[in-house]
Amino acid sequence: IKKRAVSCPAFRGHYTFRHGSTLVVAEHEGGVIKPPSLSALAAATCLPDPDSSVSVLLAGSGPSLHQAASHAASSYPSISKVLVADSDKFKNPLAEPWAKLVHLVQHSGGYSHIFAAANSFGKNIMPRVAALLDVSPITDVTGISDSNTFVRPIYAGNALCTVRYTGASPCILTIRSTSFPALQKSVDSNEASISQVDLSTLDEDLGRSTYISQSSQGDERPDLGNARVVVTGGRALKSAENFKLIEALAEKLGAAVGATRAAVDAGYVPNDLQVGQTGKIVAPELYMAFGVSGAIQHLAGMRDSKVIVAVNNDADAPIFQVADYGLVGDLFEVIPELLEKLPEK
Ligand code: FAD
């Protein structure tokens, strides 16, 4: 049995061994696999299989696709095969062409399980893949007990549900990346095979959606979903102008900025910064919450953070129930003091 590369959440007791192979649908950027997809890969290695065979599907066009394929094939011993779909049709993560691609790859590969990250990429594509394959997907998986039994949060993360998959093959899963540490590169070199997906039989009709544009926060701050430190502000900031205090602190700490839905709804910051049930799920090393009450919908997005620091002027605020360090105080005094005392970057 291969040595496990990652700790597998919710694995308890004995495995029921399966016979099959796994496909991971992955995103890449700058010639490497993106961290959420590395978490999906890590989850795939948690499936019990003495002959575990994990293939990764990378698609797109241009040199960075091939760079990502070589990097994946040589860096991660858990990967046995890299499938490359080189076409402009997959340059952007539109659900319709990508779902047809995964359907095609499944048709030739006969995988028992198909994984993707439960981020906007996976959430967009995998339900459509499941519909094309006429199976029911299991979404937002946080733990793997055996090849058919998975754990996923329900009721905004207030309860964990153990689900047994009894449907036809393949079992389609999206993985909550904060529950599976990204697959680590190995110091030993790996030699996974790289093969091109034969796209000659791909359906010509690739759907009605058209890619228009994508905008993001910019490169100067870490991505909220993967940042090691997140500084979040709530309604108590009172204005977009005051929210700059949160941004200044994040800047000093090299952190990503997060916000509650109340702060987003009040227009202090754009909604891609929202953390919570209807925002992003984060689990950084350090999560700092300023003027955040700790509503369950917010906790659903950050309660897995390693260390939680909360500053709130109400000693009874629910955020203190999950905080490792709590300070009852006025954020308009605490943040300027922190800014003054923290060393320059
Ligand atoms: P409040 O609850 O108003 O809390 C402000 C806090 O700031 C208070 O605790 C107060 O004591 C403290 N405070 C005030 N002044 C100061 C000061 N000067 N210094 C220090 N502390 C101060 N919310 C999310 O965040 N993310 C989600 O994804 C999300 N999804 C939702 C989905 C649904 C279906 C629903 C119904 C709600 C959702 N919400 C979500 C909203 C959620 O219920 C809360 O309303 C929201 O999280 C509250 O945001 P807040 O903590 O900023 O504001």
Side-chain angles (χ1 to χ4, degrees), residues 128-204:
R128 194 173 276 269
V129 172
L132 288 177
L133 293 167
D134 199 17
V135 294
S136 181
I138 300 180
T139 57
D140 219 10
V141 168
T142 56
I144 295 175
S145 301
D146 68 34
S147 53
N148 291 319
T149 315
F150 309 98
V151 180
R152 61 187 299 276
I154 54 170
Y155 303 128
N158 282 298
L160 293 174
C161 179
T162 300
V163 186
R164 178 170 289 278
Y165 183 71
T166 54
S169 191
C171 174
I172 292 185
L173 304 152
T174 61
I175 297 298
R176 186 176 279 200
S177 40
T178 52
S179 298
F180 295 87
L183 196 66
Q184 294 298 310
K185 277 200 288 188
S186 167
V187 280
D188 310 322
S189 65
N190 182 45
E191 281 176 27
S193 65
I194 300 181
S195 43
Q196 303 294 320
V197 177
D198 176 6
L199 299 173
S200 59
T201 55
L202 188 75
D203 190 345
E204 280 300 311

Side-chain angles (χ1 to χ4, degrees), residues 55-58 68-69 72-73 79-84 192-196:
S55 300
V56 59
L57 172 63
L58 295 171
I79 298 177
S80 49
K81 194 175 198 181
V82 180
L83 300 166
V84 177
S193 65
I194 300 181
S195 43
Q196 303 294 320

